Amino acid sequence: MKARTLGIIRQVIASIVLSISLIIFGNMVGWPSPVLFEIREHGRPMNLTKMEQSLMVSIIYLGNLISPLPMGYLMDMIGRKTAILSLSVVPIISWTLLMFARDVIRLCIGRFLAGIWAGTVITIGPLYLAEIAEPKLRGALSTFVQLNVGIGTMFAYVVGSYVNYDQLAALSNVFSFIFILLFWNMPESPYWLTMKDRDEEAALSLAWLRGEHVHVTRVDMSIMELSLGVHEEMQHPRNFKDLVATKGHRKALIIVQVLAMAQRWSGISSILAYMSITIPERNYGQLTVNHCVMVFGGLLVLFVLLSTYFVDCWGRKPLLLTSSIGCSLGTFLVGLWFYMDDQTNLDVSDYYWTPFGGMLIYIVFFSIGLGPIPTTEQGELFSANDRALASALTSMTLALSSFICNLIYLPIAECFGMFVNYLIFTVVSIGTAVFVKTYTIETKSKTLHAIHQELDKKNDATGNEMYP
């Protein structure tokens, strides 16, 4: 087998294994949907007030909020691989607590620990994928983050419809053990090893990832290029002030933070968690509400899978623009139906399928752009020196946005009407389209070093681009 083909296979294998950690996270995100349906319809395994239901759904993001910053420092200290393996016991404890929870306190503790794991994988996962992948594969492999979150969510939707509360938690816990067994044998990030001046280990890691022998000229040249790039980027001290010290740093930070907020405020967290109790309780042809949730999860997985091709074929910027516009259309249709149903005298009961249809439009467009690409950008736009801290900050932004979205979703629906939630989501998506068009840069097929140079570019008096 040719070295290049073997290298691609190995990079894909490493990405798939790492992404099992994101399947675990996806399980945790999708878990409330079948559980809330069971609690509301049958009171099993416990009864919860609406406020307790909102807290159960959203508290995962509170744990997510506090974990990224320490995870950012930890992965710089002990390595990307070692850090995520060290925390792999957290989801095991979380699922075990949830399996035996019969009161809201243990339920919330288990969900809070799930948030600690979420912050860990969202901070470290995209960074690890960006650092092991070749430039031409980086976009496609980075979409594995959203793909596997979708697979995990789909697992919770499908399995949760056929098993009871305890069995769902037990089956979800199996992924934690599989991840530990498989990821143990994956290589450490060659970027991190180079940062620590462990060039020999970096060469071994890179050789495995590229399918080459350690002393092949191509590996030696790649290590030299990697070392030069990393050491150039490491000249500046790493702190929060450094993230806004230059034009390039500021632009990278703004792009990633805005896309992170846009991803969550477009509605994804709330729709994933509350879909089963949002769409009208009717049969959609042969489909029950639970079947509709499964279809939704299936489309999420399918179109994120397709985006692994589109993201490096069409580029990040066109997909983000198309995705934002499509998401706004989907949430507008959902909001319009709820507005006409709640606030007017019009009888729209014959069009009960509209919210579900709007959500399907939303998830198709979300899955090709707003879902996977912010994660890709997170791993691409920051230098080696800033990447861990920036990833931690981005994870905190994602967590805070999701926490607020999920916490206020039911109270807004009760006080003002469900349509207000979807009006907010629509406005955010439209604003995101404007932002993408006017401010973001294209990173398709560029090395990390070239991307950072483009972020730092300046224009001279004649309008020509200059690099510092």
Side-chain angles (χ1 to χ4, degrees):
M1 186 180 294
K2 290 183 179 179
R4 174 162 175 73
T5 303
L6 180 59
I8 290 173
I9 291 171
R10 286 178 173 177
Q11 289 171 64
V12 170
I13 289 172
S15 300
I16 290 172
V17 171
L18 181 278
S19 295
I20 297 173
S21 67
L22 295 149
I23 293 178
I24 299 169
F25 171 45
N27 286 349
M28 295 166 170
V29 171
W31 180 84
S33 188
V35 169
L36 278 175
F37 188 80
E38 192 76 3
I39 288 172
R40 284 200 165 192
E41 293 296 312
H42 309 293
R44 296 195 300 256
M46 68 198 88
N47 287 305
L48 298 175
T49 66
K50 285 189 177 180
M51 192 61 217
E52 288 171 341
Q53 291 172 28
S54 295
L55 185 61
M56 177 197 78
V57 171
S58 57
I59 199 169
I60 184 176
Y61 298 107
L62 193 59
N64 190 352
L65 180 63
I66 67 169
S67 58
L69 192 57
M71 290 309 109
Y73 284 108
L74 183 66
M75 70 177 173
D76 262 2
M77 287 173 56
I78 65 175
R80 290 34 167 155
K81 174 186 172 181
T82 307
I84 201 168
L85 276 176
S86 300
L87 273 294
S88 296
V89 67
V90 173
I92 295 174
I93 298 172
S94 171
W95 284 121
T96 303
L97 276 172
L98 291 174
M99 185 166 58
F100 294 106
R102 292 298 180 270
D103 58 78
V104 71
I105 294 177
R106 278 183 289 181
L107 190 66
C108 286
I109 292 173
R111 292 287 288 168
F112 181 81
L113 288 175
I116 299 293
W117 177 249
T120 300
V121 298
I122 291 175
T123 302
I124 303 176
L127 195 59
Y128 180 83
L129 290 174
E131 291 180 349
I132 66 169
E134 299 175 45
K136 290 183 178 180
L137 294 176
R138 194 172 57 242
L141 294 183
S142 293
T143 61
F144 277 26
V145 173
Q146 189 63 41
L147 174 63
N148 284 277
V149 171
I151 290 172
T153 303
M154 181 67 177
F155 177 88
Y157 287 169
V158 174
V159 176
S161 299
Y162 295 103
V163 301
N164 63 33
Y165 174 92
D166 298 337
Q167 291 168 338
L168 179 59
L171 290 170
S172 298
N173 211 358
V174 171
F175 288 101
S176 306
F177 294 98
I178 294 173
F179 172 70
I180 293 171
L181 289 172
L182 295 180
F183 195 61
W184 195 276
N185 297 305
M186 293 299 106
E188 179 57 88
S189 161
Y191 249 83
W192 180 80
L193 291 168
T194 305
M195 284 170 59
K196 297 299 181 181
D197 294 321
R198 292 160 61 174
D199 289 348
E200 189 173 336
E201 292 175 68
L204 287 168
S205 174
L206 194 62
W208 188 87
L209 289 165
R210 300 297 183 264
E212 301 272 15
H213 295 293
V214 178
H215 298 296
V216 170
T217 304
R218 283 189 295 272
V219 174
D220 289 338
M221 289 177 65
S222 295
I223 283 293
M224 187 178 299
E225 181 182 342
L226 183 62
S227 183
L228 286 171
V230 168
H231 284 98
E232 181 181 333
E233 293 169 352
M234 292 290 292
Q235 294 301 311
H236 308 287
R238 187 195 71 242
N239 51 52
F240 278 111
K241 185 178 178 181
D242 192 50
L243 290 179
V244 294
T246 69
K247 175 189 173 184
H249 287 157
R250 288 191 295 273
K251 185 163 187 173
L253 188 65
I254 290 169
I255 290 172
V256 173
Q257 300 312 307
V258 170
L259 289 180
M261 287 187 286
Q263 183 192 76
R264 299 302 162 154
W265 281 100
S266 73
I268 188 62
S269 298
S270 300
I271 293 173
L272 288 174
Y274 295 110
M275 184 180 178
S276 65
I277 59 173
T278 297
I279 60 176
E281 263 191 74
R282 301 274 294 272
N283 284 340
Y284 296 74
Q286 299 297 315
L287 301 177
T288 64
V289 168
N290 279 336
H291 291 144
C292 290
V293 173
M294 292 182 209
V295 170
F296 182 86
L299 285 177
L300 171 62
V301 173
L302 174 62
F303 280 90
V304 171
L305 188 60
L306 291 175
S307 77
T308 61
Y309 168 75
F310 294 139
V311 73
D312 277 328
C313 179
W314 292 355
R316 284 59 156 159
K317 196 166 180 173
L319 281 178
L320 276 173
L321 190 60
T322 304
S323 176
S324 301
I325 295 170
C327 286
S328 68
L329 173 62
T331 52
F332 173 76
L333 290 175
V334 178
L336 180 63
W337 187 89
F338 278 111
Y339 176 79
M340 295 175 71
D341 186 52
D342 295 340
Q343 306 294 320
T344 72
N345 295 322
L346 295 172
D347 182 8
V348 293
S349 59
D350 288 341
Y351 303 96
Y352 65 91
W353 48 265
T354 303
F356 179 53
M359 288 181 182
L360 293 185
I361 293 172
Y362 169 85
I363 200 59
V364 166
F365 282 98
F366 177 86
S367 300
I368 64 170
L370 272 178
I373 293 178
T375 306
T376 304
E377 301 274 79
Q378 177 184 329
E380 290 180 330
L381 294 182
F382 295 103
S383 66
N385 191 39
D386 302 317
R387 209 169 287 139
L389 198 57
S391 292
L393 186 61
T394 305
S395 297
M396 293 170 69
T397 301
L398 288 166
L400 183 60
S401 298
S402 295
F403 177 72
I404 296 172
C405 277
N406 284 356
L407 191 64
I408 67 175
Y409 185 86
L410 290 180
I412 284 179
E414 200 164 311
C415 295
F416 305 105
M418 184 64 76
F419 75 94
V420 176
N421 284 308
Y422 289 87
L423 174 64
I424 294 170
F425 301 155
T426 301
V427 171
V428 169
S429 294
I430 292 171
T432 304
V434 175
F435 175 79
V436 168
K437 179 67 176 176
T438 58
Y439 197 76
T440 60
I441 66 169
E442 183 56 73
T443 60
K444 183 183 78 168
S445 298
K446 295 175 183 175
T447 65
L448 298 178
H449 192 57
I451 293 168
H452 306 149
Q453 280 193 317
E454 182 172 351
L455 286 167
D456 279 320
K457 74 184 178 184
K458 300 176 182 178
N459 294 326
D460 64 16
T462 63
N464 295 320
E465 294 177 355
M466 300 173 61
Y467 292 90

